[in-house]
Amino acid sequence: MRGVIFDGKQVQVADDLEIRDVGPGEVLVAISAAGLCHSDLSVVDGTIPFPVPVVLGHEGAGVVEAVGAGVTHLRPGNHVSLSTLANCGACAECDRGRPTMCRKAIGRPGQPFSRDGRPVYQFASNSAFAERTLVKAVQAVRIPDDIPLSSAALIGCGVLTGVGAVLNRASVDHGDSVVVIGTGGIGLNVIQGARIAGASAIVAVDSNPAKEAVARQFGATHFLTSTEGVRDILPTGADHAFECVGRVELIRQAIDLLDRHGQAVLLGVPPATAEASFLVSSMYLDKSILGCRYGSSRPQRDIALYAQLYREGRLLLDELVTATYPVEDFEKAKADAEAGRVARGVLTF
């Protein structure tokens, strides 16, 4: 079968990928569509260290082909959106409703694939850039059949991370002010999460002025090409500032833009050894710097919620898909994503 493989030096679309049989507690999914996220690109450029060879992709949707022993909530033919959280469901963190903190869901890459008899790693417990993938049953969430799979694919990372950061981690409230630095796939979902939460001012910041129209479409009340004008809009600062790019200087700017009791939420991914600085004296007015993994999501709950919001017209998905590519055109999709020409490019099988 076909799949996008990174061997540590180059990316190639292979057609001789194999996958093992479904095991107990697992689900075999035929992938229909998968979003190209910057985390995939970060594996390729080394920002995110990961063992190789690896099948990329972690934001996908498809149709269940087979279920393993013990799986009762899904059956073949169900449409599903996939998460990256292969959490155990039994540890203290899972029991507290914090599956993103499950230690069995972090840093334990499996090898369900093989090529020429040699094992191939699975990225983010998902590997959606393959015609078929194996996931734990907890990672596959049934969605209504009337949601286009090319749109549903984006729920599994961009929406869970961006909207989840707003609703779950920051708990943005009605009337709050929000600054969003970076309006790519994650930033746009932060913007619409803030809109759904009822924020009164949503200031989008992106160096590319061409992104203003889509930022406003998703809910931005203001658009700036740098953070310099934020104080003109929010003189005392923002209640919440989300950094969605992954650059340490922008992290500093997000912190400096906070009002009293404000929160800076870090969503962008800088290099693993990157260090950021801030003025300690600026933090004593109850300000906070919050890390956020995967929108602090509970996928079985949140994916179903976001699917319902989409059907009600409150959550935008179709508008995120600015280009679709057959998987054979991965290099073009990668180039468009790196150049910022698309909000989210989607690979199709």
Side-chain angles (χ1 to χ4, degrees), residues 146-191:
D146 59 357
I147 298 180
L149 290 172
S150 59
S151 296
L154 305 188
I155 299 177
C157 178
V159 176
L160 281 178
T161 300
V163 178
V166 173
L167 302 183
N168 299 329
R169 186 67 169 124
S171 298
V172 173
D173 202 356
H174 285 276
D176 284 356
S177 58
V178 173
V179 173
V180 183
I181 302 175
T183 61
I186 300 300
L188 289 176
N189 278 297
V190 172
I191 290 170

Side-chain angles (χ1 to χ4, degrees), residues 46-49 243 245-251 266 268-277:
T47 301
I48 296 178
E243 202 281 338
V245 180
R247 288 169 46 188
V248 294
E249 68 271 23
L250 297 179
I251 291 172
L266 311 186
V269 182
T273 58
E275 297 182 0
S277 65

Side-chain angles (χ1 to χ4, degrees), residues 298-310:
R298 291 165 287 175
Q300 287 290 335
R301 170 190 178 273
D302 291 350
I303 289 177
L305 170 63
Y306 299 151
Q308 182 61 34
L309 291 175
Y310 167 79

Side-chain angles (χ1 to χ4, degrees), residues 223-274:
F223 184 90
L224 301 170
T225 55
S226 77
T227 59
E228 292 181 4
V230 171
R231 291 283 180 174
D232 295 330
I233 301 166
L234 304 173
T236 62
D239 295 313
H240 312 273
F242 295 83
E243 202 281 338
C244 306
V245 180
R247 288 169 46 188
V248 294
E249 68 271 23
L250 297 179
I251 291 172
R252 172 60 183 269
Q253 291 174 29
I255 296 168
D256 289 345
L257 287 171
L258 296 178
D259 195 357
R260 299 182 180 195
H261 205 269
Q263 300 179 131
V265 183
L266 311 186
L267 295 177
V269 182
T273 58

